[in-house]
Amino acid sequence: AEVTAVTFVEAGEPHDDEIAQHEHGGGTLTITTDADAGLAEYERCEAAATLLCFRASNAVLFFEASLDPADRTRLEDALRAMASEE
C-alpha cells in the first residue's frame, strides 16, 4: 500500500510542504492494491474509536476524530462532490 500525508490549508494559501505553520489539520491517504484491500483497510480504520474514515474503492482517508468541524465539513463536501461526478 502507498501511504501519503494529507493536510488542510485555507483556500488561497500556498500548498508548499515547507509552510507547516499554515496547516489546519491532517490525516493519511492510503492507496491499496485493490478494492478488497481498501475495504479491509477501511474496516480497520473504522474499528479505531479515535479515527474518522472515508473510502473510495482502493483509497482510504484516515483523520483524527478531533478534526476541526470546519475542516471536516470541507472534506465531506469535497468527497460528496467527487462522488456526484461519477
Side-chain angles (χ1 to χ4, degrees), residues 4-8 25-29 62-64:
T4 304
V6 178
T7 59
F8 289 100
T28 303
L29 169 65
F62 298 75
F63 292 91
E64 291 294 322

Side-chain angles (χ1 to χ4, degrees), residues 30-61:
T30 300
I31 306 297
T32 60
T33 55
D34 58 36
D36 289 337
L39 178 59
E41 190 71 6
Y42 175 78
E43 288 172 345
R44 186 175 75 82
C45 177
E46 282 288 291
T50 61
L51 294 176
L52 176 63
C53 314
F54 299 93
R55 176 182 162 265
S57 187
N58 67 325
V60 182
L61 284 164

Side-chain angles (χ1 to χ4, degrees), residues 24 52 65-77:
H24 296 278
L52 176 63
S66 61
L67 184 65
D68 179 78
D71 288 335
R72 182 176 179 156
T73 298
R74 287 174 47 207
L75 175 63
E76 290 171 344
D77 289 348

